Structure formats: C-alpha cells, structure tokens
Amino acid sequence: MATVTPPTQEEIENLREKVRREVEKNGEENFAKVDLERLNSDEAYIGKFWLHAQQMDGDNKENTVKLVVDTLLWRKKFGVENISEDTINKAVLERGEVYSHGRDKEGCKLLVICVRKHVKDAQNSEDGKKHFVMMLENLEKEEPEKKITIMFDSEGAGIRNMEIEAIQFLINTIMHYYPNFVSKIIVYNMPWILGTIWKLVKTFLPVKAVEMIKFLDKSSIQEFIE
C-alpha cells in the first residue's frame, strides 16, 4: 500500500475554497454551521478527509472535496449536531447493545456492538442509529487524532439478532462519513449459523470495508486484543 501523506498548508486552503464553492452551490442552509466552522478552523479534520481520499481511485483533491461535501450534507440531514442521550429512546440506551470498552494492542479504543442484544425493532430503529452515531461522535471528540476499532461481539448471537440493514448502516456510516477514523472491524466468535448472513452482507459493502473485516475466535483475537 502506498504511503499516505498529510496535505500541505496550500492544499488545505485550496480544499477549503473548493468546499466553499460547493456549499454555495448546494445551499448553505443544507449544512450545519458548527460543521462549517470546524472545517475552517480544524486543519486536522480536513487532513482526515485527505488521507481517506488517498485510498480511493481518481484525483485526490476532487475525491477529498466530494468526501467533505457528502459528509457535511449527511450530518445536516441526519441531525448529528442535535443528537444526545435526551433525544434517544431510553429503552435503546438501556439495552447495552453499543458501548466503548478498552483498547486493542495498537492503542485504538474499542467500540463494541453486542450482537446478541440487538433486537429487530422497527419502532426504535432510528434511535438505534442515533445511538451508534452518538458513540462515534463521543469517541472522536475524546481522541480526535486517533483511530478506533469496531468489534461485533457475536458470542451467543443467533439469526434473530442479525439485521442486514442495520449492519449496512453501521459500516457504511463509518466508511463514508467518518474518514480515516476506523482502524479495523472485528467480528468476534461468530456462530457458524451466521456465516451465510455475513457473506451476504459483504456483497453490499465497499471493497475497503470488506478488507478491514477480521473474523476472530477466542484464540486468534489475542493477536489484536489483550
């Protein structure tokens, strides 16, 4: 894999100017003010998009601008800036399905998805998504220049706990809207009966996401987590 390099000061200013034009074209009302302010003040944030774009085919500058604009449009539409525990159904918070605990051997914080605690709940599916995004936001704010590892703890899970649409949302969100933030995706102790579902899920995911997924058991996980 080619070495990724951060943008120069000149490249950062050039990216900001191109993004400003795209914001005007799309309508400033479709972007959250807080996100635009961060883009103009946080060079490390722009750097994340730049580094992420270097792993894509095509022109790096154009890819970076597209990543930034698409991410900021999504953040506004999803209402990221307004998400808090007060906006999420208490039942979702108390389920204990998504939580942060410990680090892997590379020092990345772990964001754990406890699959056996997932329930197909159409009424609260949006709140489940909000909870996941809130956790990503919290971890990114705690250590803005570090990556995290996502772990699907599948021990004790069954078909009733697997929801393809939910997995797609989780992985597509981290791949498209949280640039250069996730180190790897671990699927831990997956029961054989769920293998077919994961094979199906992988067909819907970006190639880069599939490359990041590691299927580990109690023995092999010790290579990555103490």
Side-chain angles (χ1 to χ4, degrees):
M1 182 184 292
T3 303
V4 292
T5 55
T8 64
Q9 190 63 43
E10 182 180 354
E11 286 168 332
I12 288 174
E13 293 307 321
N14 183 261
L15 290 170
R16 281 175 172 156
E17 181 55 36
K18 288 188 175 183
V19 170
R20 285 190 198 104
R21 293 176 198 160
E22 291 298 316
V23 169
E24 290 178 6
K25 190 184 301 182
N26 285 276
E28 194 167 334
E29 69 276 5
N30 293 312
F31 298 83
K33 184 179 179 181
V34 66
D35 289 335
L36 295 177
E37 289 175 348
R38 183 182 183 188
L39 199 69
N40 289 323
S41 63
D42 189 345
E43 294 182 358
Y45 187 48
I46 295 180
K48 286 187 175 186
F49 289 99
W50 176 268
L51 294 172
H52 193 87
Q54 287 185 33
Q55 302 174 53
M56 301 166 60
D57 295 327
D59 182 81
N60 192 57
K61 292 179 182 178
E62 296 304 316
N63 285 341
T64 301
V65 172
K66 187 177 188 311
L67 278 172
V68 171
V69 173
D70 287 350
T71 295
L72 268 55
L73 284 169
W74 172 82
R75 289 176 66 85
K76 173 68 173 182
K77 184 176 181 181
F78 197 78
V80 175
E81 68 172 317
N82 298 316
I83 295 175
S84 67
E85 288 190 0
D86 293 335
T87 67
I88 300 172
N89 190 305
K90 191 176 180 180
V92 173
L93 296 173
E94 292 178 345
R95 209 151 57 198
E97 180 184 344
V98 183
Y99 59 93
S100 176
H101 178 72
R103 298 177 185 269
D104 65 15
K105 288 189 175 182
E106 294 180 335
C108 302
K109 281 192 173 184
L110 293 173
L111 181 58
V112 182
I113 317 293
C114 188
V115 181
R116 71 177 180 276
K117 293 185 179 180
H118 178 75
V119 293
K120 297 176 183 178
D121 180 2
Q123 184 176 350
N124 289 316
S125 64
E126 285 303 308
D127 283 86
K129 293 175 181 178
K130 286 182 184 178
H131 186 211
F132 178 69
V133 169
M134 184 185 76
M135 294 297 297
L136 291 177
E137 289 289 301
N138 290 345
L139 288 170
E140 202 271 341
K141 288 172 183 173
E142 289 169 10
E143 298 182 346
E145 297 191 32
K146 290 189 177 182
K147 293 186 178 184
I148 65 170
T149 289
I150 304 283
M151 184 169 79
F152 288 89
D153 180 358
S154 304
E155 189 165 16
I159 291 178
R160 69 188 182 282
N161 305 117
M162 289 292 287
E163 188 175 0
I164 292 177
E165 191 273 336
I167 297 173
Q168 280 183 274
F169 172 82
L170 300 187
I171 296 181
N172 282 326
T173 296
I174 61 177
M175 293 303 299
H176 294 296
Y177 306 127
Y178 287 85
N180 206 48
F181 185 46
V182 175
S183 170
K184 67 188 75 69
I185 301 167
I186 293 174
V187 180
Y188 171 65
N189 226 19
M190 180 187 69
W192 67 267
I193 199 169
L194 302 183
T196 301
I197 296 177
W198 265 106
K199 285 181 181 178
L200 179 60
V201 168
K202 286 163 66 176
T203 65
F204 296 116
L205 300 178
V207 174
K208 181 62 180 175
V210 174
E211 292 174 350
M212 293 171 69
I213 298 175
K214 301 181 183 299
F215 292 90
L216 306 175
D217 56 22
K218 290 183 179 180
S219 175
S220 56
I221 199 170
Q222 295 178 29
E223 298 176 31
F224 300 91
I225 300 173
E226 304 230 20

